[in-house]
Amino acid sequence: MPFPVILRTDVSGEVEAVASDVEDFAVGNEAFSMVRSPSFGDSRANAQYVTAPVSHVAHKPAELLHIDAAAAPMALLTAWQFLFEPDHDHPNPLQPGLHRPVPLEGRKVLIIGAAGGVGHFAVQIAKLKSAHVTAVASTTHEAFLRDLGTDAFIDYTQSPPEKVARDLDLVLDMLGGPSTGRFLRILKRAGALFPVFLGFRDTEETTARGVTVSATQVRSSGAQLQELGVLLADGTIRAAIDSTWPLEEASAAHERAAKGHIRGKIVLTVA
Ligand SMILES: NC(=O)c1ccc[n+]([C@@H]2O[C@H](COP(=O)([O-])OP(=O)(O)OC[C@H]3O[C@@H](n4cnc5c(N)ncnc54)[C@H](OP(=O)(O)O)[C@@H]3O)[C@@H](O)[C@H]2O)c1
């Protein structure tokens, strides 16, 4: 990408101007968006003013606070597009076929990194779709995750989840990468492993065990955010806020992120 770059993708705010061919939004409307993901180098979110293609923008329900709307887009769309509806036919450059979600109702789902941005939304979506959810996180997140509806909790600082869980239909792994292969052996035959952090290569073990490994790359969708905005506004899905920082203190927000153990999302506020 060409430097310097403006970081981040998620925004919630008020429409300041619209192009002449835009019919669905007017100046003064409240809107939220994941802007231009996964492209790089264009206008991004850590700014007072942001431009976005209209197809990436959703109306913000009046009952939904800007802070919650700003917290949601990328993490919630990632969880939704992995678990429920990709809503696009763009192949993931790292795998031959399209990502296909799997049935969730009554299925045993293990969520690694469950307290983080993507994870806490994934827990809620899996519960919404009637899965049995086991959340994996460090000790202090247990009460938070149980409050979100998780059925079982594994503290990875006490027990490796691959030693405790078994007979799973789906593992959604926010850590992903090469270490994700440890979960293949605790899946049922015909189960699925979705590494959200890309980089795991299909192996002979995957084929031998009869399981699927699949991932996608989240893509902007104003239409999906419109639908999800309703669930956020009525409390069906909650955005947890780890911390907020003024935009001018974005570097402090990055320092917070670097310490890890994030619960939900970090949000920058614009005065
Ligand atoms: N494919 C895509 O399109 C896409 C889109 C968005 C994000 N991502 C990727 O998805 C990953 C997650 O993103 P995020 O925004 O949710 O990150 P995040 O908010 O930083 O959350 C990560 C969570 O993982 C937990 N964690 C750390 N080590 C762990 C371990 N060994 N076992 C279980 N949990 C552990 C952390 O808390 P505790 O350690 O306290 O439990 C934290 O809550 C990132 O790698 C990101 O790049 C991919």
Side-chain angles (χ1 to χ4, degrees):
M1 68 181 79
F3 284 88
V5 290
I6 296 176
L7 294 171
R8 305 301 166 193
T9 54
D10 295 352
V11 290
S12 181
E14 196 175 301
V15 176
E16 187 77 15
V18 291
S20 56
D21 58 348
V22 170
E23 292 173 355
D24 295 341
F25 290 86
V27 172
N29 286 171
E30 294 191 323
F32 68 127
S33 175
M34 178 175 77
V35 179
R36 295 191 183 87
S37 189
S39 77
F40 291 97
D42 294 311
S43 171
R44 284 298 188 105
N46 282 10
Q48 289 158 304
Y49 295 92
V50 178
T51 66
V54 72
S55 63
H56 295 181
V57 184
H59 287 278
K60 183 185 78 60
E63 309 76 32
L64 179 60
L65 300 175
H66 279 300
I67 195 163
D68 295 327
M74 176 175 270
L76 182 50
L77 284 175
T78 302
W80 192 254
Q81 292 179 8
F82 262 86
L83 287 177
F84 186 61
E85 188 182 41
D87 198 30
H88 62 76
D89 282 337
H90 293 270
N92 170 354
L94 299 178
Q95 69 181 40
L98 293 176
H99 175 72
R100 301 273 180 230
V102 294
L104 293 171
E105 190 174 345
R107 308 299 165 103
K108 284 177 71 179
V109 179
L110 184 72
I111 299 181
I112 314 291
V118 182
H120 87 294
F121 285 128
V123 166
Q124 296 178 76
I125 291 166
K127 285 310 301 172
L128 193 61
K129 302 297 173 189
S130 305
H132 178 280
V133 174
T134 301
V136 179
S138 66
T139 322
T140 56
H141 299 306
E142 178 168 2
F144 164 68
L145 287 163
R146 290 211 184 265
D147 193 44
L148 292 182
T150 194
D151 300 287
F153 178 79
I154 298 174
D155 179 348
Y156 72 82
T157 68
Q158 303 298 318
S159 332
E162 68 275 19
K163 295 259 159 59
V164 182
R166 60 177 60 87
D167 296 331
L168 297 162
D169 295 290
L170 173 65
V171 176
L172 183 71
D173 182 10
M174 254 53 75
L175 300 179
S179 74
T180 203
R182 65 195 156 131
F183 298 118
L184 292 174
R185 70 190 80 113
I186 57 172
L187 285 167
K188 285 181 191 161
R189 241 187 137 69
L193 169 61
F194 292 171
V196 176
F197 181 74
L198 312 177
F200 178 73
R201 296 259 175 253
D202 205 353
T203 63
E204 280 174 24
E205 191 182 357
T206 306
T207 315
R209 290 184 181 278
V211 299
T212 303
V213 179
S214 176
T216 187
Q217 191 169 28
V218 67
R219 297 193 84 88
S220 298
S221 169
Q224 284 187 330
L225 274 188
Q226 197 69 57
E227 198 182 326
L228 290 164
V230 176
L231 301 180
L232 287 164
D234 71 12
T236 304
I237 294 178
R238 283 182 279 153
I241 308 299
D242 177 276
S243 52
T244 66
W245 306 81
L247 177 61
E248 310 81 71
E249 293 177 29
S251 59
H254 280 266
E255 282 164 20
R256 158 69 196 99
K259 288 184 180 138
H261 302 297
I262 291 177
R263 181 178 297 173
K265 292 289 297 183
I266 296 171
V267 179
L268 300 181
T269 55
V270 180

